[in-house]
Amino acid sequence: MEVMALETVKGYVKHIIFRNPDNGYTVMELAVGEEELTCVGVCSLMNEGETVEVSGEYTEHPIYGKQLAIHSISECEPEDETAMERYLGSGAVKGIGTALAARIVRRFGQDTFRIIEEEPERLVEVKGISERKATEIAGQFTEKRDLRKAMIFLQQYGISVNLAGKIYKMYGRDVYRVVKENPYQLADDIQGVGFKAADEIAAKVGIRMDSDFRMKSGVLYTLLQASADGHTYLPQEELTEQAARLLGVDRSLVEKHYMDLAIAQKIRIKGDHIYAAAYYQMEAAVAAMLHRLHRKTDVPEIEMETRIRQIERQSGLEPDEMQIRAVKEAVRSGLLVITGGPGTGKTTTINAILRYFELEGVDVFLGAPTGRAAKRMSETTGYEARTIHRMLELNGGIDGNAGFARNEECPLETDAVIIDEMSMVDISLMYALLKAIAPGTRLVLVGDVNQLPSVGPGSVLKDMIESQAFPVVKLTKIFRQAAKSDIILNAHKINDGEPVLLDNQSMDFFFLKRYDADKIVNVTIQLVAQKLPKFVDASPFDIQVLTPMRKGLLGVERLNFILQQYLNPKSSEKKEWENGGRMFREGDKVMQTKNNYQLEWEIRSQYGIAVDKGVGVFNGDMGIVREINAYAETMTIEFDESRMAEYSLKNLDELEHAYAITIHKSQGSEYPAVVIPLLSGPRMLMNRNLIYTAVTRAKKCVTLVGDETTFDAMIQNMKQQKRYSGLAEEIRKYGPAGGKEL
C-alpha cells in the first residue's frame, strides 16, 4: 500500500459505513466541501452529522481506492446554523429528526446549542416539543457532551476507548472523583482494569505509595494472581511476602489491612489461609451441595446382578469385577467418583452405567469440560454429550463472567448426570454445575486423578477423593486390547515411576535421541510435516506438538513461529494480519487462551446460512483461521463442531498459534499423534505429572525427541507445584459419609 503526504481536513461525518464496537475502528464518509472522503481508523466517539477535524495520511487501497488513514480526530463546534441543524437531525440526539431539527434551529439560530444546555425549558417554544420531550432532549444532549469529555479525560491516562466506555457507564460524572481519589476502585469494579493499570493511573494522579487504597488493592491483586496459578487461597505468610514485593513496601504495611478487608467481605481469613471471598464461598457451597447429593438407596443385590447380566447379553460388554462394582455404586449412590488411567476401562464402565440407567428408564445427561472431550464422549458412548457450558446453557454473562440459564432456580431436567475428564473441572465450573443439579439427581464423575490439575483454580477431583467422604471406584486393571499399546503401558510405567524401555521396537511409542535444540526442531518439523501424517493416516494439522514451556529454544513461541513457515507458508492466495509481533494467516491453526463468555459463534450450512448460534469460546479451544477481512477488520475462525466465530483484528490478544502448545493446554484433548520435544527445564515444571499427561494425549503414536536423561528425570520427579485448595477440608466438615475407596 503506497503511503502519501500527511494531511489535515475539516468536514462533517456524512455516513458511518462500519464500526467495530469493541475497539472503535471505524470506516466513514466525510463530507469536505463538495467532495466525499473515506476515512479509516479509531474514532468511536464521532457520530453522523458531527463536524470534525481529521489528521492523517492518504493511502491508496488496492480495492477501495483513495482513503485517509486517521492519526488523530477532534470534534469542532458547528460553525453555522446548517451544521447545527445537520448534527441535531442526524439521529445523534434521540427524538430529534430532520424536520424537528430544522424547526429548532429556525427558532433559536446560532443560540441553539446554548439554549439546549442552559435553558432547555425554552424548547417548548418549538411546535411538537412538550415539556417532557424538552427535558429528554436536554438530557441526551448533555450526556453526549459529558461522555465525550470523560473519554478525553480517561484517554490521557492511557485507557483504551473500549475500556473508557465501560468506566463511564459504571460511574457517569463521578468518574473524575474516582480516578483522582481512588483509581484502585477501577480494578475492583470493572473487568479489564487490573491492579497494574490502576497503579499506573494512581502514579500519574499523584497517589502515595503507602496509601490504604493501594495496599488493599495490592493484596486483592496478589490473590487474583494466585488464582491464575490454580490456588483458591494463599497461606498468610506467602500472601504477605508476595504483596509486599509487588507493592515495594514493608510487610507490616500489608498485614495491617487484612482485618479491614475481611470486615469489608473482600477476603476470608480461615486460620492462616487467606481467600479471596468468592473462592471461599465457592468451596464452601460446593462441599455443601456435594453432601446434599450424596444419598444412598437400597437396591437388592439380586436385582442389580440380573440387570448387569442382561446388559452383557444385549450389548456385548464384558465388565470386570471393579467395573461391575462401579455400576452397582452408581445405581445405589447419589454421587460416585470413578478414576483410573488410560486403558483401564473408564469408557466401558460409563457405557455399562448408561445402559443400566436406560433399562431403568432413567434420563441421563452426558458432559465434559471441552468440546473435544465431549465429542470423544459422544463417539465412545453413542449418546449425545455436550460441554458443561452448553449443558448449563451459557447466556453470555456480565462483564466477562459466565452466566448460565441453568441454576438452582432452573435446574437441569434430568435424572442423572455423567461428567467425563473431571480432572479439568475447576472450582468455578463445579460450583455452576452443582447449582444446576437438583437434589435427588444422580451425579457420576469420571476422570484420571494423575492428570495435570485444571487450568482454573482448585483441585476438585483430587480433593473429592482425598476427603474420603464419597464413594470412589479406582480402576487399575489394564485390559487386553489396551495392553497391546505401548502408549498405555508406558503411561502406567511413568505413573508408577518405573523406567521406560527406549529401544524404538514399539509400533506406537518412539524416542529419537537428539541433544541440540535446533536438531530437535528439525526432526520435529520432519515428523509433523512428512512422516507422521502417513503413519497415522492424518493431516499435519492433526499432529500436535506438545512442549513443557512457553519460552526458550523449544518453547511454544519459537516452535510456532518455525512450524508456521513449514505448515502454512506465506502465499499470495492467503490474506494475513500482523498483531503484536505475530503474523496470523488464513489457514493458521490457532487456540483461544482465555474464557470468553460473550464471543458469539454460529454453525453454518453449506450455503452459509446460520443453522445454530451460541456464545462462548473457551481457554484451550482450537480452530483454523478461515478468513481475514482487512476492510471489515475481522478474522473468522472455525472451531470444533464447525462453530464459526468472528474476532476483531484490533483485538487478537486472546488468540495464539497452536502448531505447538504447552502440555497444560492439551488437557482433555486427544490427537492421532503427538510429538514431544524435550531438552531441559525448571525442575518444578519438569515432573512426572506433566510427562504422563503429554503421553496420554496420543491415540495412535507418541514420539519424544530429545535427551533421554531429561525424560528419565521427569519420571522420577514427583514434585508438583503446590496447589493451595481447601475443598477437601470443607467437605470433611460434614463428617465421614462412607467414602472409602471401593
Side-chain angles (χ1 to χ4, degrees):
M1 202 181 273
E2 186 186 351
V3 179
M4 301 177 186
L6 187 70
E7 188 76 20
T8 299
V9 296
K10 193 172 182 180
Y12 73 90
V13 181
K14 187 171 184 182
H15 179 48
I16 302 287
I17 299 169
F18 168 82
R19 173 167 287 155
N20 185 319
D22 293 330
N23 55 32
Y25 181 84
T26 303
V27 180
M28 65 184 185
E29 290 294 340
L30 190 70
V32 184
E34 298 298 315
E35 296 182 5
E36 290 182 6
L37 175 64
T38 301
C39 299
V40 295
V42 175
C43 52
S44 63
L45 300 177
M46 301 305 165
N47 296 302
E48 290 180 1
E50 294 189 359
T51 303
V52 295
E53 186 172 272
V54 182
S55 292
E57 294 171 336
Y58 279 118
T59 61
E60 193 66 36
H61 193 282
I63 298 172
Y64 303 108
K66 184 180 178 183
Q67 298 180 338
L68 187 68
I70 300 167
H71 275 208
S72 64
I73 184 167
S74 58
E75 180 192 14
C76 302
E77 286 292 332
E79 294 177 342
D80 53 34
E81 292 174 20
T82 303
M84 288 182 180
E85 184 180 324
R86 190 166 52 227
Y87 172 71
L88 290 175
S90 68
V93 180
K94 194 176 176 183
I96 301 181
T98 51
L100 186 55
R103 290 202 298 275
I104 293 171
V105 175
R106 195 160 52 242
R107 175 69 184 85
F108 299 114
Q110 289 277 8
D111 218 20
T112 297
F113 281 13
R114 188 195 66 76
I115 293 290
I116 294 173
E117 283 193 78
E118 297 176 13
E119 300 178 68
E121 66 278 1
R122 287 190 59 193
L123 288 172
V124 297
E125 297 172 20
V126 178
K127 185 182 176 184
I129 299 181
S130 63
E131 284 187 24
R132 181 180 171 185
K133 190 161 188 175
T135 303
E136 287 175 357
I137 289 170
Q140 282 259 330
F141 191 86
T142 306
E143 188 179 336
K144 285 198 172 289
R145 287 280 172 103
D146 288 347
L147 171 62
R148 179 125 338 120
K149 287 176 187 172
M151 297 291 256
I152 292 165
F153 168 74
L154 291 168
Q155 284 169 21
Q156 70 180 313
Y157 296 110
I159 296 169
S160 71
V161 170
N162 191 26
L163 204 50
K166 282 186 186 178
I167 293 169
Y168 184 77
K169 187 177 178 182
M170 168 69 74
Y171 302 117
R173 291 184 182 181
D174 213 26
V175 67
Y176 306 99
R177 181 192 61 77
V178 170
V179 169
K180 288 177 178 174
E181 290 181 11
N182 178 19
Y184 298 100
Q185 191 177 334
L186 301 176
D188 289 347
D189 295 343
I190 296 167
Q191 183 82 16
V193 181
F195 169 79
K196 292 193 174 176
D199 209 29
E200 286 176 13
I201 295 168
K204 290 175 183 174
V205 172
I207 287 173
R208 288 170 44 195
M209 283 271 291
D210 62 351
S211 88
D212 289 354
F213 292 138
R214 185 170 186 264
M215 296 299 103
K216 291 174 184 176
S217 187
V219 169
L220 295 174
Y221 177 74
T222 304
L223 286 172
L224 180 67
Q225 290 299 99
S227 72
D229 291 332
H231 308 299
T232 57
Y233 72 84
L234 281 179
Q236 182 169 327
E237 185 70 18
E238 280 194 41
L239 174 59
T240 303
E241 184 181 331
Q242 290 179 29
R245 195 183 319 129
L246 167 77
L247 294 162
V249 298
D250 189 79
R251 293 162 58 96
S252 61
L253 286 174
V254 173
E255 289 173 329
K256 74 177 190 178
H257 291 289
Y258 290 155
M259 195 51 65
D260 286 346
L261 284 165
I263 291 167
Q265 297 187 334
K266 299 283 188 181
I267 66 172
R268 188 69 179 258
I269 303 172
K270 195 176 157 205
D272 75 332
H273 299 172
I274 299 183
Y275 289 80
Y279 287 119
Y280 177 80
Q281 287 155 10
M282 274 190 254
E283 284 193 341
V286 164
M289 289 187 286
L290 286 171
H291 275 280
R292 192 178 64 193
L293 290 174
H294 180 43
R295 296 176 176 180
K296 285 285 186 181
T297 307
D298 279 333
V299 182
E301 190 76 16
I302 188 71
E303 182 183 313
M304 291 190 289
E305 292 283 356
T306 303
R307 281 283 193 224
I308 291 167
R309 281 196 293 273
Q310 185 181 350
I311 291 164
E312 289 173 343
R313 286 196 304 272
Q314 290 177 351
S315 66
L317 292 172
E318 297 179 8
D320 76 342
E321 183 188 345
M322 290 304 293
Q323 291 172 318
I324 289 171
R325 195 173 291 183
V327 175
K328 289 178 179 178
E329 200 58 43
V331 173
R332 282 190 295 243
S333 299
L335 177 62
L336 172 65
V337 176
I338 300 170
T339 184
T344 57
K346 293 193 296 294
T347 298
T348 300
T349 307
I350 291 172
N351 279 324
I353 293 169
L354 273 171
R355 276 152 184 76
Y356 194 111
F357 284 166
E358 191 176 36
L359 287 172
E360 294 283 301
V362 173
D363 189 33
V364 185
F365 281 1
L366 301 182
T370 67
R372 282 172 176 254
K375 185 180 178 185
R376 195 165 73 247
M377 198 179 187
S378 294
E379 291 166 353
T380 56
T381 62
Y383 291 78
E384 182 198 9
R386 294 169 289 174
T387 64
I388 297 171
H389 289 89
R390 288 199 80 179
M391 185 192 293
L392 299 179
E393 298 174 26
L394 178 73
N395 57 20
I398 301 167
D399 289 335
N401 296 309
F404 298 103
R406 295 292 176 176
N407 50 40
E408 60 269 53
E409 293 172 5
C410 182
L412 295 168
E413 294 170 10
T414 186
D415 303 313
V417 177
I418 302 177
I419 303 294
D420 198 8
E421 293 288 357
M422 262 303 295
S423 61
M424 295 183 67
V425 176
D426 64 22
I427 193 68
S428 304
L429 189 55
M430 189 64 173
Y431 173 67
L433 174 65
L434 292 175
K435 281 205 299 178
I437 297 177
T441 306
R442 292 189 178 100
L443 178 61
V444 179
L445 306 173
V446 185
D448 183 350
V449 77
N450 293 308
Q451 296 266 358
L452 288 168
S454 57
V455 174
S459 301
V460 176
L461 181 64
K462 183 167 175 267
D463 283 357
M464 285 183 68
I465 294 170
E466 286 186 357
S467 73
Q468 297 187 328
F470 311 116
V472 176
V473 174
K474 188 172 183 181
L475 304 175
T476 54
K477 179 183 173 184
I478 302 174
F479 284 84
R480 191 172 19 182
Q481 190 64 30
K484 295 176 184 176
S485 163
D486 284 320
I487 295 173
I488 289 172
L489 291 177
N490 288 336
H492 283 275
K493 284 183 178 179
I494 290 168
N495 197 41
D496 294 336
E498 297 174 9
V500 174
L501 186 62
L502 304 178
D503 60 2
N504 288 335
Q505 298 302 303
S506 168
M507 289 302 293
D508 62 4
F509 192 99
F510 305 96
F511 199 111
L512 307 180
K513 297 175 184 177
R514 302 290 189 277
Y515 307 99
D516 175 79
D518 288 336
K519 287 178 181 173
I520 292 171
V521 172
N522 289 336
V523 171
T524 299
I525 292 166
Q526 288 175 32
L527 288 167
V528 176
Q530 299 161 22
K531 297 183 178 178
L532 286 174
K534 297 174 193 170
F535 187 67
V536 298
D537 189 26
S539 78
F541 274 52
D542 293 325
I543 315 300
Q544 190 59 57
V545 177
L546 302 178
T547 179
M549 294 167 294
R550 290 196 57 78
K551 306 283 186 185
L553 295 174
L554 296 178
V556 164
E557 293 172 9
R558 181 171 186 250
L559 286 172
N560 271 320
F561 177 76
I562 296 168
L563 286 165
Q564 183 193 36
Q565 296 174 52
Y566 287 90
L567 299 179
N568 190 32
K570 188 179 179 68
S571 163
S572 59
E573 297 175 4
K574 297 174 185 173
K575 299 189 191 76
E576 52 186 34
W577 186 267
E578 193 269 336
N579 179 271
R582 302 168 300 169
M583 182 62 73
F584 289 97
R585 188 173 294 138
E586 289 178 340
D588 268 342
K589 183 178 178 182
V590 294
M591 173 185 278
Q592 175 78 9
T593 60
K594 64 182 286 191
N595 290 339
N596 186 325
Y597 302 109
Q598 274 80 36
L599 187 61
E600 297 177 357
W601 53 260
E602 61 183 31
I603 297 172
R604 300 169 186 168
S605 69
Q606 59 180 322
Y607 304 108
I609 299 167
V611 294
D612 191 13
K613 291 184 177 183
V615 292
V617 179
F618 306 108
N619 191 352
D621 281 0
M622 292 171 71
I624 303 291
V625 177
R626 293 301 183 199
E627 183 188 14
I628 293 174
N629 187 330
Y631 190 74
E633 293 269 313
T634 58
M635 180 190 292
T636 303
I637 295 169
E638 181 177 358
F639 289 100
D640 290 334
E641 302 168 317
S642 302
R643 293 174 300 142
M644 297 286 192
E646 268 193 9
Y647 288 72
S648 162
L649 289 180
K650 298 288 185 182
N651 190 22
L652 300 178
D653 295 343
E654 294 178 3
L655 285 173
E656 62 182 35
H657 293 95
Y659 300 102
I661 64 175
T662 62
I663 296 167
H664 278 87
K665 292 284 189 185
S666 72
Q667 287 172 270
S669 296
E670 190 176 69
Y671 312 96
V674 300
V675 179
I676 307 167
L678 279 183
L679 202 53
S680 61
R683 178 168 167 76
M684 189 58 73
L685 179 66
M686 307 291 277
N687 58 44
R688 181 185 297 178
N689 203 212
L690 193 80
I691 196 66
Y692 172 79
T693 299
V695 166
T696 54
R697 297 307 88 209
K699 194 173 181 181
K700 297 181 181 177
C701 180
V702 168
T703 308
L704 296 107
V705 187
D707 188 339
E708 72 277 18
T709 58
T710 299
F711 178 63
D712 292 338
M714 289 180 79
I715 294 173
Q716 297 309 315
N717 181 14
M718 291 181 66
K719 285 189 178 177
Q720 297 175 40
Q721 187 172 356
K722 172 70 177 167
R723 182 170 280 217
Y724 297 114
S725 167
L727 180 60
E729 193 178 328
E730 285 297 317
I731 290 170
R732 288 192 200 104
K733 277 184 181 177
Y734 293 85
K740 64 180 185 298
E741 194 176 290
L742 301 170

